[in-house]
Amino acid sequence: SRKKSKKWFNNSRKFFEVEVVMIIFPAIDIKDGKCVRLIKGDFNQMTSYEKTPLDQAKIYYENGFKNIHIVDLDGALEGRSLNSKIVKEILKNLNLKIQIGGGIRKIDDINNWVKNGVDKVIMGTAAFENIDLLKSACEKFKNKIAVSLDVKNGFISLSGWKKQTNVSALDFLKKIENFGVSRIIYTDINKDGTKKGPNIKDTVELSNRVKIPFVISGGVSSIEDIEKIKSLNNSNIEGVIVGKSIYDGDIKISELAKQI
């Protein structure tokens, strides 16, 4: 989907309006080989769904989606990819641009995913705990590294949201701003899985203070939420992730596809 920015630029005395691509990422969270959704990152509030991750990816693909957000929740908890076979099956069978996160802690992990054809590799806990690793990854895999910023009350959470830090999102972003990170996936944990609407205001405010494009995640509950995000002007928002609302039927996939 495209949104037109209201920002006008002067080029050789001609003014033109910039078009920005707004990407919609339907989500697949995998635990124990199944599609699941959590509420506020709580594994005790987990819902499992009947469709396999591959079947769910096929639905997205058949409805015209080109980008998919996948998280290996087992990997996030254990610190190593545990559902890679399932993700590779999706990559092999469907022509999709996949961003993958969960348990990616080493350069070898990133290298394996890039070789298997993922579009972006998401670093979360490892990016925070080993900032030199993040810098090296960005240098070695140009435009392939995304950083997942999971935030609760302004502070970063790690390890599948089990570990709370006292580091503010902005302080961390300023440290990594010039590394070459391709995008920030910003999740407001208090909103995630609640279907009460995303925290657009805080996300936009934060995104406008750094040069890295942001993807909004957490709480998207309706087509109206999507339209609100798409209508943002002069913002640094590149896309939005939609998960639980699709699985629970609050957002029909055919209606969401019209927003592409």
Side-chain angles (χ1 to χ4, degrees):
S1 173
R2 295 178 184 273
K3 63 169 186 173
K4 284 192 177 179
S5 168
K6 285 184 179 175
K7 186 180 276 187
W8 292 77
F9 293 86
N10 187 340
N11 181 28
S12 303
R13 295 182 182 176
K14 291 180 181 178
F15 288 88
F16 61 95
E17 196 174 17
V18 175
E19 275 200 329
V20 182
V21 176
M22 176 68 75
I23 305 168
I24 296 174
F25 297 88
I28 297 176
D29 287 1
I30 306 173
K31 185 155 196 329
D32 302 324
K34 298 176 181 177
C35 291
V36 303
R37 297 304 295 172
L38 309 178
I39 295 177
K40 296 185 182 181
D42 185 351
F43 284 86
N44 293 317
Q45 297 187 69
M46 184 176 77
T47 306
S48 298
Y49 297 87
E50 285 184 15
K51 288 186 175 64
T52 67
L54 177 58
D55 287 341
Q56 191 65 39
K58 281 178 180 173
I59 290 169
Y60 295 152
Y61 178 75
E62 287 163 1
N63 277 274
F65 290 91
K66 298 287 187 282
N67 295 269
I68 290 187
H69 175 79
I70 299 180
V71 177
D72 179 349
L73 289 173
D74 293 302
L77 290 171
E78 297 294 328
R80 59 192 175 90
S81 298
L82 291 174
N83 290 291
S84 57
K85 187 177 178 184
I86 292 169
V87 181
K88 286 172 185 174
E89 193 180 8
I90 294 170
L91 284 162
K92 181 182 171 185
N93 285 281
L94 302 169
N95 183 22
L96 289 165
K97 294 173 79 172
I98 289 175
Q99 59 180 23
I100 176 75
I104 296 163
R105 304 281 198 267
K106 303 171 185 172
I107 286 287
D108 282 349
D109 298 334
I110 299 166
N111 191 45
N112 285 336
W113 281 124
V114 171
K115 278 185 174 178
N116 276 283
V118 301
D119 183 53
K120 307 285 185 196
V121 179
I122 306 166
M123 296 179 69
T125 300
F128 183 88
E129 293 184 339
N130 190 345
I131 205 162
D132 290 334
L133 174 66
L134 174 63
K135 191 173 184 180
S136 298
C138 290
E139 289 168 359
K140 186 171 182 180
F141 305 100
K142 303 282 187 192
N143 203 36
K144 285 289 182 185
I145 307 299
V147 169
S148 175
L149 210 58
D150 301 331
V151 177
K152 192 170 188 177
N153 303 321
F155 296 97
I156 294 172
S157 294
L158 306 172
S159 302
W161 304 350
K162 297 285 188 186
K163 183 178 173 184
Q164 185 65 42
T165 76
N166 60 357
V167 178
S168 79
L170 181 60
D171 286 348
F172 179 68
L173 283 168
K174 285 298 180 184
K175 280 185 185 176
I176 68 169
E177 186 171 16
N178 297 311
F179 283 11
V181 173
S182 61
R183 71 172 54 123
I184 296 292
I185 296 158
Y186 183 88
T187 303
D188 184 325
I189 294 173
N190 286 330
K191 291 283 189 176
D192 192 68
T194 65
K195 300 187 295 187
K196 291 181 178 177
N199 188 348
I200 296 172
K201 179 177 175 288
D202 287 353
T203 308
V204 169
E205 281 180 9
L206 186 62
S207 72
N208 285 338
R209 298 184 70 176
V210 292
K211 294 178 288 189
I212 313 166
F214 267 52
V215 171
I216 292 180
S217 172
V220 174
S221 59
S222 64
I223 294 295
E224 287 73 28
D225 287 337
I226 302 291
E227 289 173 341
K228 196 181 292 183
I229 293 164
K230 283 172 64 181
S231 70
L232 295 170
N233 293 306
N234 300 328
S235 75
N236 196 21
I237 305 299
E238 181 185 33
V240 57
I241 292 169
V242 189
K244 190 170 173 62
S245 293
I246 294 173
Y247 288 87
D248 291 351
D250 299 281
I251 294 179
K252 289 188 170 57
I253 197 72
S254 56
E255 291 298 310
L256 187 62
K258 293 174 185 175
Q259 300 292 324
I260 302 173

